[in-house]
Amino acid sequence: MIVYILIVLHGLSTQEHLRRRIKEIKALLGNKLDNSVQLLNSLQTNGILTGNAISRIVSEIILCAVDKEIIARIPDIKYLRFVDDYFIFVQDRSQVDGIISCFQQELARYELIINENKVNVLESPFVFGNAWVEQMKVFVSLNPMILLEKTVIEYHEYKDIAILKYGLKIIRTMKFTKKEWRNIEPIIINILVKFPNLASIITLIIKNNENHIDRILLKNSIYTIIDIHLKLNNDEEIIWAVWLAKTFNISLSLGYIKKLLVSENWLAIIIILDMVSKRKKEKGVRDLIVKFRNRIKEEYFSDGDSEKNMYSEIWLIAYESDKNKWLNTGGNELDQFVEARKNGFFKQLKNKSVDFYKSDYEYDLIQSANYKNNIYVTYRELIEILGNFKESILENKLDILDESEYEKYLEEVYELAREHISSLDNY
C-alpha cells in the first residue's frame, strides 16, 4: 500500500511570516532582499506582495531551506513540492503522523504553518482525474439550459469551482434567443454574485447576448457584489464588479461611487474615475471628484515633491488621472490635477502616449452560430489530435492553394478531427 499526503501551507500566514523571517537574515544577500521587498511594498514591513516574481523567489529561498532540513531529518523520504503544496508518498499509513509532525516543526522555525483544512491523505490505488469531467461531457451537446443546470448540480456534488468554469466556458460562445436568455440569465447572474472571480468568463457570455440582458438585474447584482466584498476588503471581486458596470454602461449611484472612492482599491478607483469623467456636469459627481482630488493632493503631494511622490503606491492612478484629465473640473490650477507630469520619467511616458489602462478596451468575442455542431475536447485529446494531423498539415503546400481550396482543405481536416474525436474511448 502506498499512502499519498497533500499538505498546503496557510496562505495568509505565509505572506505575513515570510516578511518577518527576511528581517532576521543578517547576510548581505538577506539585507538586499529585505530592502527590495520593502521598496516593492511602499516601505512597509508587514507582509510581502503576492503575485510578483520577487515574492515567489523569496518564498522559494525559504522553502528550499525547509526542504534541506526535511531531507536531513528523513533521508529516505519521497516527496515533491510545487510552490507551497507538498506531495508526500509513504509505504505505510502509520508513518503519516510522524512525517507531518516533522514538517510542522521545520516550517515553524520560519514561522510558517500548515493549513490543516487542506491536508489530504489518500491510499492507493489512486484515481487520477476528475469524475465529473466524463459526466459533464455527456451534456455538452445538449440544450444549454440543461447543460447549465447540470453544471450547478455537479458543482454542489463535488464542490469544485472548475466545474463551473467548464460549463461556463462551453456556453460563452453561444448566442441565445430572447426567450432562451430569459431562462438562462438568472442562473448566470446567481453564479456571478456568488463567484465574482468568474466574471472574466461570464462577461463574455453576457456580451454575446447584450441585446437581451436585464440591465436592472445586472445593476443590482453589481451592487450586491460591491456591498459584500467592500466589507471583506476583497479587491479583486470589487474590481470585476466595477469593470462589469463600465463594460455594460451601467450608471452607478452617487452612494456607490462615494463608497469606492474612499476605499484604497486603486484599480477599482481608476475604472470609476474613467466612468464618472463623462458625468462631470452632474453636481454630485463633480463634488465627489473634487473631494477625491483634494484627498490625493493632500495625502501624497502636499510637500510639492512629485519627483519622489510619484514612486509611491499612487503612481498609476496619478499618471492615468493626469493623462486623461479625469480629476480636472475647471481651467485654473486649483481645479486640475497635473502632478504626474511634474516627474521627469512620467512626463516622458505621457509625451509618448504610454497607457497602462485601456479605456476603450473591446472584447474579441468568439461566436458560434450553431452550438450543436461544436466539438469539446480535453487538453489531452487536443494534443493527440494535433499530433495525428501535424504531418498532414505540414506536408500540404498551403502557400500554393487559393482561398477556396484552402477553405476546402480546412474543412477536410475538421471532419477528420471530428471522426477521430468521436472514436475516442473517453469522449
Side-chain angles (χ1 to χ4, degrees):
M1 176 183 70
I2 298 177
V3 180
Y4 157 61
I5 314 166
L6 169 63
I7 295 178
V8 181
L9 296 186
H10 194 290
L12 289 176
S13 294
T14 301
Q15 296 166 28
E16 294 170 2
H17 294 303
L18 281 179
R19 188 69 189 78
R20 296 185 203 170
R21 184 59 187 170
I22 293 168
K23 284 195 244 181
E24 297 173 6
I25 301 174
K26 301 302 181 182
L28 180 60
L29 176 59
N31 290 333
K32 288 182 177 180
L33 285 173
D34 187 25
N35 293 334
S36 298
V37 172
Q38 283 192 42
L39 288 172
L40 281 173
N41 207 16
S42 302
L43 301 181
Q44 294 182 39
T45 58
N46 181 30
I48 63 175
L49 294 176
T50 59
N52 63 81
I54 294 295
S55 296
R56 292 288 293 270
I57 292 170
V58 171
S59 302
E60 187 64 21
I61 289 171
I62 293 173
L63 292 179
C64 280
V66 174
D67 291 338
K68 183 178 178 181
E69 297 302 323
I70 292 289
I71 293 171
R73 290 184 59 175
I74 315 175
D76 59 345
I77 189 171
K78 292 180 174 60
Y79 81 94
L80 300 170
R81 177 173 59 79
F82 179 73
V83 190
D84 59 352
D85 294 347
Y86 289 88
F87 302 87
I88 309 165
F89 299 88
V90 296
Q91 291 292 333
D92 194 296
R93 194 180 184 92
S94 63
Q95 299 173 267
V96 172
D97 291 340
I99 287 177
I100 291 178
S101 176
C102 178
F103 273 84
Q104 287 174 327
Q105 292 169 21
E106 292 303 325
L107 290 166
R109 293 176 57 194
Y110 296 88
E111 298 187 54
L112 299 172
I113 61 173
I114 293 173
N115 187 339
E116 301 286 353
N117 294 326
K118 292 189 177 180
V119 174
N120 194 8
V121 180
L122 302 174
E123 295 184 9
S124 62
F126 307 126
V127 178
F128 293 99
N130 298 305
W132 57 263
V133 173
E134 297 307 316
Q135 295 187 46
M136 289 293 294
K137 287 173 72 173
V138 175
F139 291 82
V140 295
S141 298
L142 300 180
N143 182 290
M145 186 64 188
I146 297 175
L147 170 63
L148 200 53
E149 290 175 346
K150 178 64 175 177
T151 298
V152 175
I153 291 170
E154 291 297 304
Y155 168 75
H156 285 294
E157 173 71 20
Y158 293 97
K159 305 299 182 186
D160 188 346
I161 197 171
I163 299 172
L164 297 177
K165 291 181 180 178
Y166 184 93
L168 292 173
K169 283 184 176 180
I170 290 174
I171 68 171
R172 68 181 168 177
T173 64
M174 300 179 185
K175 200 170 183 66
F176 302 107
T177 65
K178 187 174 182 179
K179 183 178 180 181
E180 288 173 330
W181 182 251
R182 281 289 172 261
N183 292 326
I184 288 173
E185 186 176 36
I187 301 176
I188 296 293
I189 294 298
N190 281 333
I191 294 174
L192 172 64
V193 171
K194 188 168 183 179
F195 302 100
N197 56 338
L198 296 179
S200 59
I201 308 171
I202 293 174
T203 301
L204 291 171
I205 298 172
I206 299 175
K207 196 71 178 172
N208 248 338
N209 299 274
E210 191 169 2
N211 292 336
H212 305 321
I213 64 174
D214 183 337
R215 299 182 66 81
I216 295 176
L217 178 62
L218 180 58
K219 185 173 186 175
N220 288 336
S221 71
I222 290 170
Y223 284 166
T224 300
I225 294 170
I226 293 173
D227 286 337
I228 292 171
H229 295 283
L230 265 179
K231 296 175 183 177
L232 300 173
N233 293 319
N234 292 335
D235 287 353
E236 183 181 351
E237 286 79 359
I238 296 168
I239 291 167
W240 273 116
V242 178
W243 179 253
L244 279 165
K246 173 178 166 49
T247 301
F248 296 102
N249 198 25
I250 303 292
S251 180
L252 300 181
S253 70
L254 290 178
Y256 279 92
I257 295 171
K258 182 178 179 180
K259 284 182 184 180
L260 292 163
L261 288 180
V262 298
S263 73
E264 293 193 356
N265 188 332
W266 302 122
L267 289 180
I269 291 174
I270 284 174
I271 302 169
I272 283 289
L273 291 177
D274 180 24
M275 293 171 63
V276 301
S277 64
K278 303 172 182 65
R279 297 170 56 185
K280 289 181 183 178
K281 292 183 179 180
E282 299 176 31
K283 184 180 183 305
V285 170
R286 188 170 63 253
D287 290 345
L288 288 176
I289 291 175
V290 170
K291 188 173 181 178
F292 179 77
R293 183 184 67 217
N294 292 340
R295 170 194 159 196
I296 296 301
K297 283 185 175 181
E298 176 64 28
E299 290 185 14
Y300 294 95
F301 298 98
S302 59
D303 61 1
D305 190 356
S306 293
E307 281 292 336
K308 178 189 73 175
N309 297 330
M310 277 300 294
Y311 293 111
S312 68
E313 62 186 21
I314 202 67
W315 75 269
L316 181 58
I317 199 166
Y319 175 77
E320 292 294 343
S321 295
D322 186 337
K323 183 176 181 295
N324 296 290
K325 303 180 180 179
W326 289 335
L327 299 179
N328 296 1
T329 55
N332 62 62
E333 187 175 351
L334 291 176
D335 295 331
Q336 297 182 353
F337 184 85
V338 292
E339 302 303 325
R341 68 187 71 181
K342 295 177 182 178
N343 176 291
F345 174 70
F346 286 98
K347 183 178 181 179
Q348 288 187 51
L349 293 181
K350 181 178 179 297
N351 291 340
K352 293 179 182 296
S353 299
V354 174
D355 291 315
F356 296 98
Y357 168 77
K358 192 172 177 61
S359 177
D360 58 350
Y361 177 82
E362 290 289 337
Y363 279 93
D364 185 15
L365 298 178
I366 306 171
Q367 294 187 354
S368 173
N370 188 348
Y371 59 82
K372 293 180 181 178
N373 291 329
N374 286 351
I375 300 175
Y376 302 97
V377 295
T378 64
Y379 287 122
R380 187 193 66 78
E381 291 166 347
L382 179 60
I383 291 171
E384 186 175 348
I385 293 162
L386 294 175
N388 289 339
F389 294 108
K390 181 179 179 181
E391 292 183 7
S392 171
I393 294 171
L394 291 176
E395 286 174 0
N396 281 274
K397 298 181 179 179
L398 299 182
D399 55 330
I400 64 173
L401 298 178
D402 61 29
E403 187 174 346
S404 61
E405 291 174 327
Y406 182 67
E407 291 289 337
K408 183 179 179 181
Y409 171 73
L410 288 180
E411 187 62 31
E412 290 175 356
V413 171
Y414 179 84
E415 288 304 318
L416 285 171
R418 176 186 288 277
E419 292 175 10
H420 177 77
I421 295 167
S422 300
S423 67
L424 289 174
D425 292 337
N426 63 345
Y427 179 73

PDB file of all heavy atoms in Angstrom, residues 1-26:
ATOM      1  N   MET A   1       0.849  -1.205   0.000  1.00  0.00           N
ATOM      2  CA  MET A   1       0.000   0.000   0.000  1.00  0.00           C
ATOM      3  C   MET A   1       0.884   1.255   0.000  1.00  0.00           C
ATOM      4  O   MET A   1       1.869   1.328   0.716  1.00  0.00           O
ATOM      5  CB  MET A   1      -0.887   0.018   1.250  1.00  0.00           C
ATOM      6  CG  MET A   1      -1.733   1.287   1.372  1.00  0.00           C
ATOM      7  SD  MET A   1      -2.712   1.322   2.889  1.00  0.00           S
ATOM      8  CE  MET A   1      -1.435   1.559   4.099  1.00  0.00           C
ATOM      9  N   ILE A   2       0.508   2.203  -0.839  1.00  0.00           N
ATOM     10  CA  ILE A   2       1.202   3.495  -0.864  1.00  0.00           C
ATOM     11  C   ILE A   2       0.232   4.562  -0.384  1.00  0.00           C
ATOM     12  O   ILE A   2      -0.923   4.596  -0.801  1.00  0.00           O
ATOM     13  CB  ILE A   2       1.687   3.827  -2.282  1.00  0.00           C
ATOM     14  CG1 ILE A   2       2.699   2.781  -2.745  1.00  0.00           C
ATOM     15  CG2 ILE A   2       2.335   5.212  -2.319  1.00  0.00           C
ATOM     16  CD1 ILE A   2       3.174   2.973  -4.157  1.00  0.00           C
ATOM     17  N   VAL A   3       0.698   5.404   0.503  1.00  0.00           N
ATOM     18  CA  VAL A   3      -0.146   6.486   1.028  1.00  0.00           C
ATOM     19  C   VAL A   3       0.355   7.809   0.456  1.00  0.00           C
ATOM     20  O   VAL A   3       1.555   8.088   0.441  1.00  0.00           O
ATOM     21  CB  VAL A   3      -0.103   6.531   2.567  1.00  0.00           C
ATOM     22  CG1 VAL A   3      -0.987   7.660   3.080  1.00  0.00           C
ATOM     23  CG2 VAL A   3      -0.555   5.196   3.145  1.00  0.00           C
ATOM     24  N   TYR A   4      -0.572   8.613  -0.021  1.00  0.00           N
ATOM     25  CA  TYR A   4      -0.254   9.913  -0.626  1.00  0.00           C
ATOM     26  C   TYR A   4      -0.787  11.013   0.282  1.00  0.00           C
ATOM     27  O   TYR A   4      -1.953  11.005   0.665  1.00  0.00           O
ATOM     28  CB  TYR A   4      -0.888   9.981  -2.012  1.00  0.00           C
ATOM     29  CG  TYR A   4      -1.135  11.346  -2.575  1.00  0.00           C
ATOM     30  CD1 TYR A   4      -0.081  12.224  -2.793  1.00  0.00           C
ATOM     31  CD2 TYR A   4      -2.429  11.755  -2.902  1.00  0.00           C
ATOM     32  CE1 TYR A   4      -0.312  13.474  -3.327  1.00  0.00           C
ATOM     33  CE2 TYR A   4      -2.665  13.002  -3.434  1.00  0.00           C
ATOM     34  CZ  TYR A   4      -1.610  13.854  -3.648  1.00  0.00           C
ATOM     35  OH  TYR A   4      -1.834  15.103  -4.172  1.00  0.00           O
ATOM     36  N   ILE A   5       0.062  11.951   0.670  1.00  0.00           N
ATOM     37  CA  ILE A   5      -0.333  13.041   1.570  1.00  0.00           C
ATOM     38  C   ILE A   5      -0.185  14.365   0.828  1.00  0.00           C
ATOM     39  O   ILE A   5       0.859  14.644   0.234  1.00  0.00           O
ATOM     40  CB  ILE A   5       0.560  13.089   2.831  1.00  0.00           C
ATOM     41  CG1 ILE A   5       0.743  11.695   3.437  1.00  0.00           C
ATOM     42  CG2 ILE A   5      -0.012  14.055   3.851  1.00  0.00           C
ATOM     43  CD1 ILE A   5       1.849  11.633   4.454  1.00  0.00           C
ATOM     44  N   LEU A   6      -1.219  15.167   0.875  1.00  0.00           N
ATOM     45  CA  LEU A   6      -1.146  16.523   0.322  1.00  0.00           C
ATOM     46  C   LEU A   6      -1.136  17.514   1.478  1.00  0.00           C
ATOM     47  O   LEU A   6      -2.022  17.499   2.323  1.00  0.00           O
ATOM     48  CB  LEU A   6      -2.342  16.813  -0.593  1.00  0.00           C
ATOM     49  CG  LEU A   6      -2.531  18.279  -1.026  1.00  0.00           C
ATOM     50  CD1 LEU A   6      -1.341  18.752  -1.850  1.00  0.00           C
ATOM     51  CD2 LEU A   6      -3.826  18.457  -1.791  1.00  0.00           C
ATOM     52  N   ILE A   7      -0.122  18.368   1.526  1.00  0.00           N
ATOM     53  CA  ILE A   7      -0.028  19.402   2.554  1.00  0.00           C
ATOM     54  C   ILE A   7       0.039  20.757   1.870  1.00  0.00           C
ATOM     55  O   ILE A   7       0.816  20.955   0.940  1.00  0.00           O
ATOM     56  CB  ILE A   7       1.226  19.218   3.435  1.00  0.00           C
ATOM     57  CG1 ILE A   7       1.124  17.914   4.242  1.00  0.00           C
ATOM     58  CG2 ILE A   7       1.421  20.405   4.368  1.00  0.00           C
ATOM     59  CD1 ILE A   7       2.331  17.637   5.107  1.00  0.00           C
ATOM     60  N   VAL A   8      -0.786  21.694   2.318  1.00  0.00           N
ATOM     61  CA  VAL A   8      -0.793  23.049   1.773  1.00  0.00           C
ATOM     62  C   VAL A   8      -0.475  24.030   2.888  1.00  0.00           C
ATOM     63  O   VAL A   8      -1.069  23.951   3.966  1.00  0.00           O
ATOM     64  CB  VAL A   8      -2.170  23.394   1.156  1.00  0.00           C
ATOM     65  CG1 VAL A   8      -2.157  24.796   0.578  1.00  0.00           C
ATOM     66  CG2 VAL A   8      -2.542  22.378   0.077  1.00  0.00           C
ATOM     67  N   LEU A   9       0.463  24.933   2.641  1.00  0.00           N
ATOM     68  CA  LEU A   9       0.765  25.947   3.647  1.00  0.00           C
ATOM     69  C   LEU A   9      -0.367  26.952   3.729  1.00  0.00           C
ATOM     70  O   LEU A   9      -1.064  27.199   2.755  1.00  0.00           O
ATOM     71  CB  LEU A   9       2.064  26.671   3.299  1.00  0.00           C
ATOM     72  CG  LEU A   9       3.331  25.813   3.308  1.00  0.00           C
ATOM     73  CD1 LEU A   9       4.542  26.711   3.084  1.00  0.00           C
ATOM     74  CD2 LEU A   9       3.480  25.069   4.613  1.00  0.00           C
ATOM     75  N   HIS A  10      -0.558  27.533   4.882  1.00  0.00           N
ATOM     76  CA  HIS A  10      -1.585  28.545   5.080  1.00  0.00           C
ATOM     77  C   HIS A  10      -1.155  29.831   4.389  1.00  0.00           C
ATOM     78  O   HIS A  10      -0.147  30.427   4.739  1.00  0.00           O
ATOM     79  CB  HIS A  10      -1.808  28.793   6.569  1.00  0.00           C
ATOM     80  CG  HIS A  10      -3.068  29.556   6.850  1.00  0.00           C
ATOM     81  ND1 HIS A  10      -3.203  30.884   6.514  1.00  0.00           N
ATOM     82  CD2 HIS A  10      -4.251  29.171   7.396  1.00  0.00           C
ATOM     83  CE1 HIS A  10      -4.419  31.284   6.886  1.00  0.00           C
ATOM     84  NE2 HIS A  10      -5.068  30.267   7.406  1.00  0.00           N
ATOM     85  N   GLY A  11      -1.924  30.262   3.351  1.00  0.00           N
ATOM     86  CA  GLY A  11      -1.511  31.390   2.525  1.00  0.00           C
ATOM     87  C   GLY A  11      -1.257  32.675   3.278  1.00  0.00           C
ATOM     88  O   GLY A  11      -0.215  33.303   3.143  1.00  0.00           O
ATOM     89  N   LEU A  12      -2.201  33.108   4.113  1.00  0.00           N
ATOM     90  CA  LEU A  12      -2.060  34.395   4.792  1.00  0.00           C
ATOM     91  C   LEU A  12      -0.876  34.380   5.743  1.00  0.00           C
ATOM     92  O   LEU A  12      -0.110  35.335   5.820  1.00  0.00           O
ATOM     93  CB  LEU A  12      -3.347  34.733   5.548  1.00  0.00           C
ATOM     94  CG  LEU A  12      -4.534  35.098   4.663  1.00  0.00           C
ATOM     95  CD1 LEU A  12      -5.769  35.308   5.533  1.00  0.00           C
ATOM     96  CD2 LEU A  12      -4.255  36.351   3.856  1.00  0.00           C
ATOM     97  N   SER A  13      -0.744  33.286   6.462  1.00  0.00           N
ATOM     98  CA  SER A  13       0.361  33.215   7.401  1.00  0.00           C
ATOM     99  C   SER A  13       1.688  33.232   6.661  1.00  0.00           C
ATOM    100  O   SER A  13       2.662  33.818   7.113  1.00  0.00           O
ATOM    101  CB  SER A  13       0.249  31.940   8.232  1.00  0.00           C
ATOM    102  OG  SER A  13      -0.898  32.003   9.044  1.00  0.00           O
ATOM    103  N   THR A  14       1.722  32.568   5.512  1.00  0.00           N
ATOM    104  CA  THR A  14       2.953  32.558   4.721  1.00  0.00           C
ATOM    105  C   THR A  14       3.355  33.980   4.368  1.00  0.00           C
ATOM    106  O   THR A  14       4.499  34.380   4.526  1.00  0.00           O
ATOM    107  CB  THR A  14       2.740  31.746   3.430  1.00  0.00           C
ATOM    108  OG1 THR A  14       2.374  30.424   3.776  1.00  0.00           O
ATOM    109  CG2 THR A  14       4.011  31.732   2.599  1.00  0.00           C
ATOM    110  N   GLN A  15       2.418  34.779   3.899  1.00  0.00           N
ATOM    111  CA  GLN A  15       2.734  36.143   3.488  1.00  0.00           C
ATOM    112  C   GLN A  15       3.223  36.977   4.665  1.00  0.00           C
ATOM    113  O   GLN A  15       4.175  37.741   4.548  1.00  0.00           O
ATOM    114  CB  GLN A  15       1.491  36.801   2.885  1.00  0.00           C
ATOM    115  CG  GLN A  15       1.015  36.126   1.604  1.00  0.00           C
ATOM    116  CD  GLN A  15      -0.368  36.581   1.229  1.00  0.00           C
ATOM    117  OE1 GLN A  15      -0.755  37.685   1.564  1.00  0.00           O
ATOM    118  NE2 GLN A  15      -1.104  35.745   0.549  1.00  0.00           N
ATOM    119  N   GLU A  16       2.590  36.840   5.825  1.00  0.00           N
ATOM    120  CA  GLU A  16       2.947  37.678   6.967  1.00  0.00           C
ATOM    121  C   GLU A  16       4.285  37.267   7.579  1.00  0.00           C
ATOM    122  O   GLU A  16       5.112  38.101   7.913  1.00  0.00           O
ATOM    123  CB  GLU A  16       1.846  37.583   8.030  1.00  0.00           C
ATOM    124  CG  GLU A  16       0.524  38.193   7.552  1.00  0.00           C
ATOM    125  CD  GLU A  16      -0.613  37.872   8.499  1.00  0.00           C
ATOM    126  OE1 GLU A  16      -0.351  37.207   9.527  1.00  0.00           O
ATOM    127  OE2 GLU A  16      -1.747  38.260   8.221  1.00  0.00           O
ATOM    128  N   HIS A  17       4.485  35.940   7.695  1.00  0.00           N
ATOM    129  CA  HIS A  17       5.664  35.480   8.424  1.00  0.00           C
ATOM    130  C   HIS A  17       6.929  35.437   7.583  1.00  0.00           C
ATOM    131  O   HIS A  17       8.025  35.542   8.117  1.00  0.00           O
ATOM    132  CB  HIS A  17       5.379  34.103   9.026  1.00  0.00           C
ATOM    133  CG  HIS A  17       4.318  34.150  10.085  1.00  0.00           C
ATOM    134  ND1 HIS A  17       4.425  34.954  11.200  1.00  0.00           N
ATOM    135  CD2 HIS A  17       3.124  33.529  10.187  1.00  0.00           C
ATOM    136  CE1 HIS A  17       3.340  34.796  11.956  1.00  0.00           C
ATOM    137  NE2 HIS A  17       2.551  33.947  11.355  1.00  0.00           N
ATOM    138  N   LEU A  18       6.769  35.276   6.246  1.00  0.00           N
ATOM    139  CA  LEU A  18       7.968  35.333   5.408  1.00  0.00           C
ATOM    140  C   LEU A  18       8.668  36.670   5.589  1.00  0.00           C
ATOM    141  O   LEU A  18       9.884  36.758   5.631  1.00  0.00           O
ATOM    142  CB  LEU A  18       7.591  35.144   3.935  1.00  0.00           C
ATOM    143  CG  LEU A  18       7.317  33.708   3.485  1.00  0.00           C
ATOM    144  CD1 LEU A  18       6.929  33.703   2.012  1.00  0.00           C
ATOM    145  CD2 LEU A  18       8.521  32.813   3.696  1.00  0.00           C
ATOM    146  N   ARG A  19       7.855  37.715   5.719  1.00  0.00           N
ATOM    147  CA  ARG A  19       8.429  39.052   5.856  1.00  0.00           C
ATOM    148  C   ARG A  19       9.262  39.167   7.144  1.00  0.00           C
ATOM    149  O   ARG A  19      10.355  39.718   7.148  1.00  0.00           O
ATOM    150  CB  ARG A  19       7.277  40.079   5.873  1.00  0.00           C
ATOM    151  CG  ARG A  19       7.779  41.501   5.819  1.00  0.00           C
ATOM    152  CD  ARG A  19       8.388  41.775   4.446  1.00  0.00           C
ATOM    153  NE  ARG A  19       9.067  43.047   4.416  1.00  0.00           N
ATOM    154  CZ  ARG A  19      10.263  43.257   4.929  1.00  0.00           C
ATOM    155  NH1 ARG A  19      10.915  42.274   5.515  1.00  0.00           N
ATOM    156  NH2 ARG A  19      10.821  44.441   4.852  1.00  0.00           N
ATOM    157  N   ARG A  20       8.735  38.606   8.217  1.00  0.00           N
ATOM    158  CA  ARG A  20       9.465  38.666   9.484  1.00  0.00           C
ATOM    159  C   ARG A  20      10.779  37.887   9.391  1.00  0.00           C
ATOM    160  O   ARG A  20      11.810  38.314   9.896  1.00  0.00           O
ATOM    161  CB  ARG A  20       8.628  38.062  10.621  1.00  0.00           C
ATOM    162  CG  ARG A  20       7.354  38.827  10.910  1.00  0.00           C
ATOM    163  CD  ARG A  20       6.685  38.207  12.113  1.00  0.00           C
ATOM    164  NE  ARG A  20       5.276  38.512  12.130  1.00  0.00           N
ATOM    165  CZ  ARG A  20       4.427  37.946  12.966  1.00  0.00           C
ATOM    166  NH1 ARG A  20       4.856  37.049  13.837  1.00  0.00           N
ATOM    167  NH2 ARG A  20       3.146  38.263  12.949  1.00  0.00           N
ATOM    168  N   ARG A  21      10.713  36.740   8.724  1.00  0.00           N
ATOM    169  CA  ARG A  21      11.905  35.910   8.630  1.00  0.00           C
ATOM    170  C   ARG A  21      13.003  36.602   7.823  1.00  0.00           C
ATOM    171  O   ARG A  21      14.187  36.505   8.157  1.00  0.00           O
ATOM    172  CB  ARG A  21      11.530  34.574   7.977  1.00  0.00           C
ATOM    173  CG  ARG A  21      12.687  33.581   7.926  1.00  0.00           C
ATOM    174  CD  ARG A  21      13.213  33.264   9.308  1.00  0.00           C
ATOM    175  NE  ARG A  21      14.419  32.457   9.252  1.00  0.00           N
ATOM    176  CZ  ARG A  21      15.186  32.196  10.271  1.00  0.00           C
ATOM    177  NH1 ARG A  21      14.896  32.688  11.456  1.00  0.00           N
ATOM    178  NH2 ARG A  21      16.266  31.451  10.134  1.00  0.00           N
ATOM    179  N   ILE A  22      12.592  37.308   6.761  1.00  0.00           N
ATOM    180  CA  ILE A  22      13.573  38.013   5.937  1.00  0.00           C
ATOM    181  C   ILE A  22      14.332  39.024   6.776  1.00  0.00           C
ATOM    182  O   ILE A  22      15.532  39.226   6.627  1.00  0.00           O
ATOM    183  CB  ILE A  22      12.871  38.721   4.761  1.00  0.00           C
ATOM    184  CG1 ILE A  22      12.304  37.668   3.803  1.00  0.00           C
ATOM    185  CG2 ILE A  22      13.828  39.631   4.006  1.00  0.00           C
ATOM    186  CD1 ILE A  22      11.366  38.250   2.786  1.00  0.00           C
ATOM    187  N   LYS A  23      13.635  39.673   7.706  1.00  0.00           N
ATOM    188  CA  LYS A  23      14.271  40.686   8.545  1.00  0.00           C
ATOM    189  C   LYS A  23      15.372  40.094   9.415  1.00  0.00           C
ATOM    190  O   LYS A  23      16.309  40.776   9.803  1.00  0.00           O
ATOM    191  CB  LYS A  23      13.211  41.350   9.443  1.00  0.00           C
ATOM    192  CG  LYS A  23      12.345  42.346   8.723  1.00  0.00           C
ATOM    193  CD  LYS A  23      11.630  43.185   9.740  1.00  0.00           C
ATOM    194  CE  LYS A  23      10.157  42.976   9.643  1.00  0.00           C
ATOM    195  NZ  LYS A  23       9.412  43.780  10.590  1.00  0.00           N
ATOM    196  N   GLU A  24      15.255  38.783   9.710  1.00  0.00           N
ATOM    197  CA  GLU A  24      16.221  38.163  10.587  1.00  0.00           C
ATOM    198  C   GLU A  24      17.500  37.749   9.861  1.00  0.00           C
ATOM    199  O   GLU A  24      18.491  37.382  10.471  1.00  0.00           O
ATOM    200  CB  GLU A  24      15.598  36.929  11.244  1.00  0.00           C
ATOM    201  CG  GLU A  24      14.406  37.298  12.136  1.00  0.00           C
ATOM    202  CD  GLU A  24      13.685  36.062  12.636  1.00  0.00           C
ATOM    203  OE1 GLU A  24      14.182  34.949  12.369  1.00  0.00           O
ATOM    204  OE2 GLU A  24      12.633  36.197  13.277  1.00  0.00           O
ATOM    205  N   ILE A  25      17.452  37.763   8.509  1.00  0.00           N
ATOM    206  CA  ILE A  25      18.623  37.359   7.741  1.00  0.00           C
ATOM    207  C   ILE A  25      19.671  38.461   7.812  1.00  0.00           C
ATOM    208  O   ILE A  25      19.428  39.591   7.414  1.00  0.00           O
ATOM    209  CB  ILE A  25      18.256  37.086   6.270  1.00  0.00           C
ATOM    210  CG1 ILE A  25      17.206  35.983   6.191  1.00  0.00           C
ATOM    211  CG2 ILE A  25      19.491  36.710   5.467  1.00  0.00           C
ATOM    212  CD1 ILE A  25      16.689  35.740   4.795  1.00  0.00           C
ATOM    213  N   LYS A  26      20.852  38.138   8.314  1.00  0.00           N
ATOM    214  CA  LYS A  26      21.883  39.151   8.524  1.00  0.00           C
ATOM    215  C   LYS A  26      22.907  39.193   7.392  1.00  0.00           C
ATOM    216  O   LYS A  26      23.711  40.112   7.307  1.00  0.00           O
ATOM    217  CB  LYS A  26      22.606  38.876   9.847  1.00  0.00           C
ATOM    218  CG  LYS A  26      21.672  38.891  11.057  1.00  0.00           C
ATOM    219  CD  LYS A  26      20.947  40.206  11.200  1.00  0.00           C
ATOM    220  CE  LYS A  26      20.047  40.225  12.424  1.00  0.00           C
ATOM    221  NZ  LYS A  26      19.297  41.482  12.545  1.00  0.00           N
TER     222      LYS A  26
END
